[in-house]
Amino acid sequence: MTEPVRSAALKKALAEEADELPREFAARVAELAEARDETRRFSWSDAALFGAFVVMIGVCVAGWFAFGPQEADANAWLDLSLRDLPVPPWLVVGIVGLGVVQLLTFRRRVRGQS
Amino acid sequence: MSCAQEADEHARVRAVLDRKAGAFESLVRDYQKLCWHIVFRIVRDPDDARDLCQETFLRVHRQLHQFRFECPLKAWIGRIAYSIALRHLERRRAMPLTQLDEESEEAVELLAVESCELERLFDAQVAERLRAAVDALPAVPRALVTLYHLDEMSIGEIATVTGMSEGTIKSHLFRARASMGAWLRRRGVSGS
């Protein structure tokens, strides 16, 4: 099928019709987009920070149990029942998941900018 | 698209992704007309069109890192605007999207419009009626006519925007033109 002929008359007629976007539309949208972007970035950095915090606590607890003094007296200040608690699986899954999400997000951003 | 244009697009996108001051605002300014043409032609309500244009550019900003330069930036932005406008219309289910009404169908069958007829009509100072004839088309052909005749997009670019095949787009454009010619004739506008 051949291409339809472009109509100068139609172009002229349609071009005469001005758009009804406000004059400051571009500035307003850019401002809004950047504000939303900031919020999104904050939420990601908050999540990353929280993840790092959880990992840090996990490492400290694990280190305590692995290398801390084994005498019961030394741990008297610590509730002994706490030592018997195994690390809940959901915590491990959560931490690993968070790490994977962060890694994927980072890769996606890097790829998007390259 | 030439190499220079392509390099320019890369630079613009990079500037926005790097959050350079004013980069996104400048991009919006350059493409807001195109966005308006697509959205307004489909939804025909200025208030809705303004909101949908804003939504379009917010999505552009959010998804720009996914743009892979496989098509011109304007076609990519157009596709977002088109899908947002179409979804809005489908939610409302207010009007037919592609079907010509009975009157238009009849006109298409009856009339084969010569390629120069609309130009002849324009000479007769009927721009207003010409716009009304475009408005009388269903939403999708209306948008296609605007992209092709006003924004001078190629059929390939329009295919990227709408996701339709090139043959379907050409068919819509021929039929829309015939339909507009018939519409104008019925209202007594004639170049002769």
Side-chain angles (χ1 to χ4, degrees):
Chain A
M1 195 186 287
T2 55
E3 290 212 353
V5 178
R6 288 188 202 273
S7 164
L10 255 179
K11 180 180 167 70
K12 201 170 169 187
L14 292 173
E16 280 176 8
E17 203 176 38
D19 69 55
E20 293 179 41
L21 292 171
R23 189 173 293 224
E24 71 286 3
F25 176 77
R28 210 178 57 197
V29 170
E31 204 174 304
L32 196 59
E34 275 152 28
R36 286 191 181 185
D37 196 38
E38 279 299 304
T39 313
R40 218 169 25 247
R41 263 191 295 160
F42 273 126
S43 66
W44 273 114
S45 57
D46 287 347
L49 201 64
F50 178 72
F53 177 73
V54 170
V55 170
M56 188 187 74
I57 296 292
V59 168
C60 289
V61 171
W64 174 264
F65 286 119
F67 307 113
Q70 297 302 309
E71 299 82 24
D73 286 350
N75 296 335
W77 59 274
L78 187 69
D79 184 0
L80 287 174
S81 62
L82 197 66
R83 294 184 62 195
D84 297 333
L85 273 180
V87 179
W90 59 264
L91 187 62
V92 178
V93 172
I95 292 169
V96 171
L98 206 68
V100 170
V101 168
Q102 286 300 310
L103 185 70
L104 291 178
T105 309
F106 175 74
R107 281 191 55 195
R108 200 167 139 188
R109 277 190 189 166
V110 168
R111 238 188 297 161
Q113 287 180 2
S114 62
Chain B
M1 193 164 55
S2 72
C3 286
Q5 280 174 316
E6 210 171 317
D8 183 50
E9 276 196 357
H10 270 84
R12 295 196 81 169
V13 171
R14 172 59 64 91
V16 175
L17 291 174
D18 288 346
R19 300 187 175 84
K20 288 206 173 128
F24 186 63
E25 187 180 333
S26 149
L27 186 141
V28 174
R29 203 171 294 119
D30 287 352
Y31 293 107
Q32 68 182 50
K33 256 188 195 302
L34 171 74
C35 182
W36 175 265
H37 290 159
I38 295 172
V39 171
F40 181 65
R41 284 287 163 218
I42 291 177
V43 305
R44 286 208 293 191
D45 179 90
D47 290 330
D48 286 351
R50 272 189 288 272
D51 290 346
L52 295 174
C53 282
Q54 178 172 302
E55 192 183 329
T56 298
F57 283 110
L58 290 177
R59 191 183 293 181
V60 165
H61 189 264
R62 202 169 58 238
Q63 297 184 345
L64 195 61
H65 66 278
Q66 294 173 1
F67 177 55
R68 297 279 173 261
F69 301 97
E70 286 157 354
C71 61
L73 184 60
K74 77 170 177 181
W76 187 74
I77 293 174
R79 186 167 61 199
I80 293 176
Y82 182 81
S83 65
I84 285 178
L86 221 55
R87 189 157 4 100
H88 174 84
L89 211 59
E90 281 165 357
R91 250 186 259 133
R92 288 186 149 195
R93 295 180 189 282
M95 50 194 78
L97 298 181
T98 55
Q99 295 293 309
L100 296 171
D101 58 24
E102 211 172 273
E103 199 183 21
S104 306
E105 286 284 4
E106 196 179 70
V108 172
E109 284 167 18
L110 288 173
L111 188 77
V113 180
E114 294 161 16
S115 63
C116 63
E117 183 168 3
L118 293 174
E119 279 69 19
R120 205 149 41 83
L121 292 172
F122 195 80
D123 290 341
Q125 304 290 307
V126 289
E128 189 62 43
R129 289 196 174 189
L130 213 44
R131 282 195 292 274
V134 174
D135 281 345
L137 294 169
V140 169
R142 211 161 53 220
L144 296 180
V145 164
T146 308
L147 290 175
Y148 190 69
H149 294 283
L150 175 60
D151 294 300
E152 295 187 335
M153 279 186 151
S154 68
I155 298 288
E157 285 174 335
I158 298 175
T160 305
V161 168
T162 58
M164 291 178 188
S165 73
E166 296 195 3
T168 306
I169 292 167
K170 284 178 196 172
S171 162
H172 270 304
L173 287 171
F174 280 120
R175 288 161 64 87
R177 192 162 174 140
S179 170
M180 282 189 294
W183 190 93
L184 288 164
R185 279 194 168 178
R186 276 198 306 275
R187 278 149 188 85
V189 180
S190 165
S192 58

